[in-house]
Structure formats: structure tokens, C-alpha cells
Amino acid sequence: MIQRTPASIEARESSQRPATGTATLQIPEPRPDWQKLMSNAITSPEELLKRLGLPVEPWLKGARAGHGLFPVRVPEPFVQRMQPGNPNDPLLRQVLPLIEESHQEPGFVRDPLGEDDAIQTTGLIRKYRSRALLMVTGHCAINCRYCFRRHFPYGEHRLSPDDRHEVINTLTASPEINEVIFSGGDPLAANDRLLAQWAELLDTVPHLRRLRIHSRLPVVIPQRVNDSLLKWLSESRLQKVLVVHINHPAELDQATRQALSRLREAGVTLLNQSVILKGVNDSTDTLAQLSETLFEAGVMPYYLHAFDPVEGAHHFAVNDDRAKALVRELMEQLPGFLVPKLVRELPGAASKTPLL
Ligand SMILES: *Cc1c(COP(=O)(O)O)cnc(C)c1O
Ligand code: SF4
């Protein structure tokens, strides 16, 4: 549901629209590198296994089955950080479907967060009093197997100009909302023209203070952090917060650090959210190293999400007692400001719910 179409349709629409009426020859703008990397992402189980030197047996059968439920998608800059030949690589685990995905487990459901019920206006999800999520695009640069949105009906959230108008009207009429969160999909999978338009519209809503962006793109494709992104970010009057999504310290390579540092220089506050995932980061050492690595890169740990019982992702489940014990151990190893808050999103709650 997240990525059914080839990447960056919006970009192509904008650059290939025929020049109207006049003799002016419109030279299409070159596609940015990040969009090429998005559309050249690995999108088949066979290709992913081959790229990492993994044998067809026993991996292909499960990978194909999972791919049929939620397609494989992983861009090259992320693949480069994986260890070839290692089926347990913590980055590979996040993107390679296993046969377990096709096993149904009782209690694992399609919409564990009840988001379907929180849609306020097309594209606007509001559960908490002072902040609202704006679903800028349904696309993602990477498909994470544990994603709680893997079953989300994204097709229904494509925003027309009328929808956009309606979103701004709703925000203007809601003075208690002071922060808009660009979400998705991955909001930075949208092109900068669209995002700049949104940012300009939000600037006109007087009671808004902050623009927050929840995105995995600066990590997955660091080339996404380019001049045109930094330009519209810097031009907005709102304070900017970017919450990246990093689950394992090996996700932070040199290019990612550079991208994050450019964002910081542009005045963006950087936070990280992770999901606790079996076989990826369910050890105190890994989580401690993640926090240390994030801080070195100028990113503050924010949330550690307790596992949500998403259909097809039960093999990542870490139970709450284990998660709590891990965080208690983290508290003994790290300064308080490097310990993320262990939380869960519960349908109907007025905020995230702390587990400790
Ligand atoms: C998580 C979430 C937010 C942001 O919550 P914070 O605690 O401010 O990070 C806002 N809206 C929805 C629907 C959310 O799920
Ligand atoms: S976890 Fe984020 S980046 Fe990954 S598939 Fe889900 S929404 Fe997309």
C-alpha cells in the first residue's frame, strides 16, 4: 500500500508537462540524484538476495511470499551498509521478507493503532490536542517489514487542491493546534516543489509554531538532503524539528552523518525514534551504542516504540516486560538524556503512553 507506483510521479509531472502555447522551449529540470536512487531501488526478492550474495535456499520462498503482501523496496545507499553474505544483518532483517510474514497469528491485526478512526479531514490525522499529522504522500523510500502502516489504505489519501484548501481551513479554525507534523508514507519522498508549497501555506496559519517532519529518508538516501530541501526549510518562519527513524547504529554511515549535519546547520532540531525489534536491536548493548552514535551525529534519542502487533510482523515482536528490562539496563549505562522514552500508541489515548 505504501509504494505501489514507481517513485516520484509528482516530479515527472512537473518536469515533463508540455510547454503551453508559446515558442519558449522549456528545458526540463534534471531529476535530482535522490529521485533516481528512489526509482532505482531494489524491488524484487531475487535481486535483493543476489545483491547480498545470499542463496536462493532457504530465503527465496519466504521472501516471495512476503513480497506479495507488502512489496520489497530498498534503495542502494541503504544496501551498501549491509554485510554481504550475512542473513542476520540487522539492516537486512528490516527489509527482507521471511516466511513468517505469511503466518497468521492471533492478536496481530491490520490497524493496531486505530488510525482509520482518527482521520479528521482528508490527509489530516488528529489524535492529540496540539498537533496534527499531515499525510503528505503515501510513498516511502524503503519498505520496512515491521511497519505498522503496511496495511494502511494510502490510495485514499492523495490530496487534491481542494483537499489542501480544506486542510488549511481546518488548521486555521483550530487555534489549539500549534504544530503540524509532515507524515506519510515518508513525507520527504514528496518533491521539494510540493513540500515548499505546503510550508508556504502553513506559514500563513498564525497560531502554528512548529513544523515537524517524520522521515526515514535522510538515513536511507542521504542525498535527499540537498540544496532545494534546505532552501524551503530555511525559508519557513516555523521552528523545524526532524524526527528520523533509525533502529540500529550501523544505519549511520558517513553520508548520513553529513546529511544530518547539514540539517542541523540549517537550524533543524534532530530527534530519533526507533522501534524495538527482535533480531535487530533487542539488546542493551545495541541500544546503548545506538544512543551514543546518534548523539555523536547531533541527534537526540526521543522515542523507543514498544512493538505493535501488526499482522505479518510477529517475528519481530519483543514483549513489553523484555522491553522494559532493556530500558532499565540502558538507564544504568547512559546519561538520562540518552535514554529514549519507551512508549506505545494506544487507540483513543491523548498522548503516547509511557511503559515505564
Ligand atoms: C505520535 C503521534 C504524534 C506526535 O506525538 P508526540 O508525542 O508529540 O511526538 C501526533 N499525532 C499522532 C497521530 C501520533 O501518532
Ligand atoms: S517504517 Fe516508515 S519508512 Fe518504513 S515503511 Fe513504515 S512509514 Fe515507510
Side-chain angles (χ1 to χ4, degrees):
M1 307 277 171
I2 287 179
Q3 181 70 52
R4 294 290 189 210
T5 31
S8 55
I9 289 203
E10 290 134 352
R12 266 176 276 142
E13 280 168 358
S14 74
S15 60
Q16 296 185 353
R17 194 170 294 145
T20 42
T22 66
T24 329
L25 179 67
Q26 286 218 336
I27 300 166
E29 280 181 37
R31 276 176 84 200
D33 287 348
W34 69 269
Q35 287 182 338
K36 288 181 207 149
L37 287 161
M38 258 187 67
S39 36
N40 293 340
I42 294 179
T43 51
S44 86
E46 292 81 0
E47 207 185 336
L48 182 57
L49 293 176
K50 193 165 156 231
R51 172 68 180 77
L52 287 160
L54 289 170
V56 160
E57 278 295 331
W59 306 107
L60 188 59
K61 184 165 175 267
R64 273 193 181 146
H67 178 67
L69 300 166
F70 180 51
V72 164
R73 175 161 204 92
V74 47
E76 181 58 27
F78 197 74
V79 177
Q80 275 167 12
R81 296 165 224 173
M82 298 174 186
Q83 189 189 29
N86 178 7
N88 297 319
D89 180 277
L91 276 58
L92 178 66
R93 284 278 314 210
Q94 298 182 52
V95 296
L96 175 69
L98 302 184
I99 194 69
E100 284 87 340
E101 286 194 17
S102 31
H103 301 159
Q104 303 255 338
E105 287 283 319
F108 286 75
V109 297
R110 297 176 73 85
D111 179 24
L113 310 188
E115 281 195 334
D116 282 356
D117 304 331
I119 296 164
Q120 198 173 31
T121 307
T122 307
L124 204 63
I125 293 188
R126 183 163 178 214
K127 287 199 204 164
Y128 306 156
R129 183 176 158 78
S130 66
R131 48 241 191 265
L133 289 186
L134 182 60
M135 312 307 257
V136 177
T137 172
H139 294 177
C140 280
I142 187 167
N143 283 351
C144 313
R145 308 316 301 177
Y146 48 83
C147 182
F148 67 82
R149 297 210 166 112
R150 56 183 283 161
H151 306 291
F152 206 67
Y154 276 114
E156 296 158 27
H157 295 273
R158 194 163 297 255
L159 296 190
S160 67
D162 278 354
D163 294 334
R164 243 194 267 185
H165 218 77
E166 198 47 45
V167 164
I168 294 300
N169 287 346
T170 306
L171 291 172
T172 306
S174 317
E176 65 287 1
I177 299 180
N178 60 23
E179 178 171 333
V180 167
I181 304 174
F182 281 179
S183 184
D186 190 316
L188 294 186
N191 67 63
D192 288 314
R193 187 180 47 90
L194 180 80
L195 294 169
Q197 282 168 0
W198 270 120
E200 253 177 63
L201 285 170
L202 295 178
D203 269 356
T204 65
V205 182
H207 50 268
L208 286 183
R209 294 181 178 187
R210 283 180 298 276
L211 169 61
R212 198 197 307 185
I213 303 171
H214 281 180
S215 174
R216 197 151 156 66
L217 253 156
V219 181
V220 171
I221 303 180
Q223 291 83 346
R224 178 66 186 91
V225 181
N226 60 8
D227 292 342
S228 62
L229 172 68
L230 296 167
K231 180 166 183 291
W232 66 261
L233 273 176
S234 315
E235 282 169 1
S236 162
R237 72 167 175 88
L238 302 169
Q239 282 199 291
K240 271 79 59 179
V241 180
L242 176 74
V243 183
V244 290
H245 170 185
I246 300 175
N247 297 312
H248 190 278
E251 288 174 52
L252 279 145
D253 67 351
Q254 194 49 35
T256 302
R257 283 171 218 258
Q258 261 166 25
L260 294 170
S261 133
R262 290 192 76 191
L263 285 160
R264 247 171 21 118
E265 282 159 19
V268 180
T269 300
L270 300 177
L271 305 173
N272 180 60
Q273 54 181 342
S274 313
V275 186
I276 184 96
L277 298 168
K278 189 166 155 190
V280 176
N281 60 11
D282 59 334
S283 85
T284 316
D285 282 351
T286 303
L287 290 173
Q289 208 194 328
L290 174 59
S291 279
E292 295 280 6
T293 311
L294 285 167
F295 188 67
E296 276 165 18
V299 184
M300 296 302 292
Y302 181 36
Y303 281 147
L304 176 63
H305 292 275
F307 194 80
D308 289 315
V310 189
E311 187 181 293
H314 52 89
H315 51 298
F316 288 110
V318 174
N319 73 42
D320 286 359
D321 286 340
R322 169 93 179 119
K324 286 191 253 187
L326 286 170
V327 174
R328 281 202 197 91
E329 284 169 28
L330 264 192
M331 292 170 77
E332 291 167 14
Q333 288 197 21
L334 295 173
F337 61 86
L338 290 188
V339 181
K341 287 179 234 182
L342 180 66
V343 294
R344 161 161 297 126
E345 198 179 327
L346 295 174
S351 72
K352 306 269 186 272
T353 304
L355 266 72
L356 279 178

